[in-house]
Amino acid sequence: MAASSQLRVAIWLCFVLFWGFSSVSALIDGLYCGTQSCYEVLGVSRDASKAEIGRAYRQLARKYHPDRFQPSKSDETRETGQQKFLLVATAYETLKDEDLRKDYDYMLDHPEEYYSHYYTYYRRRLAPKVDVRIVILYYSWWSSYTEAINYLMTVPKYRIQATELAKQQGLFPKNKEKGKNRRSKEEIREEEEQIIRDIIKTKIDIKGGYQKPNISDILLCKIILLPYHLCMYVAWNCSWFYRFTLKGEDFGNEERLYIIRRNMKMSQAQFDSLDGNTIDSFLEKELWIKDNYEVYKKEQEEEMKMKMATDSRWKRYRRWMKSEGPGRLTFADD
């Protein structure tokens, strides 16, 4: 009987000691507010709302701000006031965020999960705010676009066109500086290369996997913006039908250019890259009218056939197709 009572007393003492140890170890140095409770630092209860927490933080922040703090006790100094201000800021950052506050409350309620609290705390502090896969995809996209621009910089056709356009617009630097402001030929050449690169980026519309990356082209953004674009598309079509079909209004220049671009199956960037004289010729020929465009299309095809008939490279290709062709079996080394 005495042994059983002693056993119960020992169990009770162990429970008391364990409970006391757990309540003390619930506050871990280095996590959140350290060995002090974030609620006690701000002077609020665990049931306090966000508004109450924010109000308490603003009062303490005004009191302990380094620019306004005035020590009132003998043991208070500027350094202790600054430490107190940092502690108040840490408590507020912990309790204002719902997820952090849940983790902190869980740590207070489950002090025995010592290592789990460390993992949860540093996982939230060190985890990136943006999905790493999106960052990698976006970086890879930019690398592909840069690779395409670097290749186009080596194509004589595009370099010559960009150089002529830069000369017409007077974009190339003039090496007329004297004295200390005089630049070297290498610096001028680098600036010219950058100007040519910028013109190629602006004028060439790259499609496919090498096109210029845009945050709105990400699938998630497209899904989010889908209702908006769908509404705009329906509203635009309804407006077009009402104005030009029902009311019979005449097309303006903007609508005419849109129809011409649609007939030519060109993107907006490709159409914008055309010079003004070409666009004016489209308007003079009234290519927004279907019959006029069909005539223009046949004229372009005939002109292309005439060019290919007089082109030496095209003649060699036709001779090769006639004599050998891609399907002919041959044992020639070349």
Side-chain angles (χ1 to χ4, degrees):
M1 188 71 178
S4 61
S5 61
Q6 291 177 357
L7 180 61
R8 285 196 297 269
V9 172
I11 293 174
W12 184 79
L13 290 175
C14 290
F15 177 78
V16 171
L17 290 174
F18 175 77
W19 181 260
F21 174 77
S22 298
S23 62
V24 173
S25 61
L27 300 174
I28 305 173
D29 190 17
L31 302 187
Y32 306 105
C33 297
T35 56
Q36 299 187 52
S37 172
C38 293
Y39 293 102
E40 294 178 358
V41 170
L42 295 179
V44 296
S45 63
R46 290 188 59 173
D47 299 331
S49 63
K50 276 189 174 182
E52 294 174 345
I53 293 173
R55 194 180 308 113
Y57 165 72
R58 287 189 293 271
Q59 291 177 356
L60 293 173
R62 284 195 296 266
K63 178 180 178 182
Y64 291 104
H65 194 277
D67 296 336
R68 304 181 62 180
F69 177 68
Q70 297 294 335
S72 58
K73 299 179 181 180
S74 58
D75 57 343
E76 289 184 346
T77 60
R78 291 279 183 181
E79 294 180 359
T80 57
Q82 185 176 4
Q83 293 175 0
K84 183 67 175 180
F85 177 77
L86 294 176
L87 184 61
V88 169
T90 302
Y92 176 67
E93 292 293 329
T94 302
L95 300 181
K96 77 171 183 177
D97 186 89
E98 293 184 0
D99 294 332
L100 275 177
R101 186 174 180 179
K102 287 180 180 179
D103 294 341
Y104 184 71
D105 290 341
Y106 186 85
M107 185 188 74
L108 297 179
D109 297 334
H110 302 82
E112 68 279 0
E113 300 180 14
Y114 184 82
Y115 296 104
S116 176
H117 300 323
Y118 267 99
Y119 169 75
T120 304
Y121 175 78
Y122 284 105
R123 183 191 63 182
R124 289 200 180 276
R125 285 183 62 89
L126 303 178
K129 301 298 182 182
V130 181
D131 194 341
V132 179
R133 293 170 295 181
I134 297 179
V135 177
I136 295 175
L137 176 63
Y138 199 66
Y139 176 76
S140 175
W141 201 347
W142 265 110
S143 299
S144 300
Y145 174 71
T146 305
E147 181 181 349
I149 295 298
N150 292 336
Y151 168 74
L152 294 175
M153 287 283 292
T154 62
V155 179
K157 172 183 176 181
Y158 301 116
R159 280 191 67 90
I160 293 173
Q161 292 180 359
T163 303
E164 292 297 327
L165 187 59
K167 289 180 179 179
Q168 293 175 6
Q169 298 179 0
L171 300 178
F172 282 152
K174 298 179 180 179
N175 189 15
K176 293 184 177 181
E177 295 87 352
K178 297 181 179 180
K180 296 182 179 179
N181 297 327
R182 185 180 180 86
R183 292 181 297 174
S184 62
K185 294 182 179 180
E186 289 76 12
E187 293 176 346
I188 297 175
R189 191 178 299 112
E190 290 178 0
E191 186 174 353
E192 291 178 351
E193 288 292 318
Q194 186 61 41
I195 292 172
I196 294 174
R197 175 183 289 271
D198 293 338
I199 293 176
I200 290 177
K201 285 181 180 180
T202 305
K203 296 298 181 181
I204 293 183
D205 184 23
I206 303 174
K207 293 296 183 183
Y210 292 90
Q211 67 182 7
K212 186 176 181 179
N214 193 338
I215 193 68
S216 60
D217 292 331
I218 297 177
L219 180 60
L220 179 61
C221 295
K222 288 187 175 182
I223 293 174
I224 295 174
L225 297 175
L226 178 61
Y228 169 76
H229 290 300
L230 185 61
C231 293
M232 294 295 295
Y233 175 78
V234 172
W236 183 86
N237 279 276
C238 292
S239 175
W240 185 282
F241 179 78
Y242 174 74
R243 292 176 56 194
F244 305 115
T245 304
L246 296 181
K247 295 181 65 176
E249 294 182 7
D250 294 333
F251 293 124
N253 282 342
E254 184 178 352
E255 289 78 15
R256 292 171 181 175
L257 292 176
Y258 167 74
I259 297 174
I260 294 172
R261 180 176 65 83
R262 188 180 62 181
N263 291 337
M264 293 183 173
K265 298 179 180 179
M266 299 174 65
S267 66
Q268 186 65 51
Q270 289 174 330
F271 195 77
D272 292 340
S273 64
L274 300 176
D275 59 277
N277 295 331
T278 303
I279 295 177
D280 292 339
S281 66
F282 293 161
L283 294 174
E284 291 177 0
K285 296 176 182 178
E286 299 183 350
L287 297 186
W288 66 89
I289 301 174
K290 192 68 174 179
D291 295 338
N292 294 346
Y293 175 73
E294 291 296 334
V295 174
Y296 171 79
K297 184 178 179 182
K298 290 181 180 179
E299 291 177 354
Q300 292 296 312
E301 290 176 354
E302 292 296 330
E303 184 178 351
M304 183 59 66
K305 288 180 181 179
M306 292 295 296
K307 287 183 179 180
M308 290 192 299
T310 57
D311 189 3
S312 59
R313 290 178 297 180
W314 178 246
K315 289 181 179 179
R316 288 197 301 268
Y317 175 73
R318 285 189 298 174
R319 286 197 299 268
W320 176 76
M321 289 292 293
K322 184 177 180 180
S323 59
E324 298 181 6
R328 181 174 177 178
L329 181 65
T330 177
F331 294 95
D333 294 336
D334 54 355

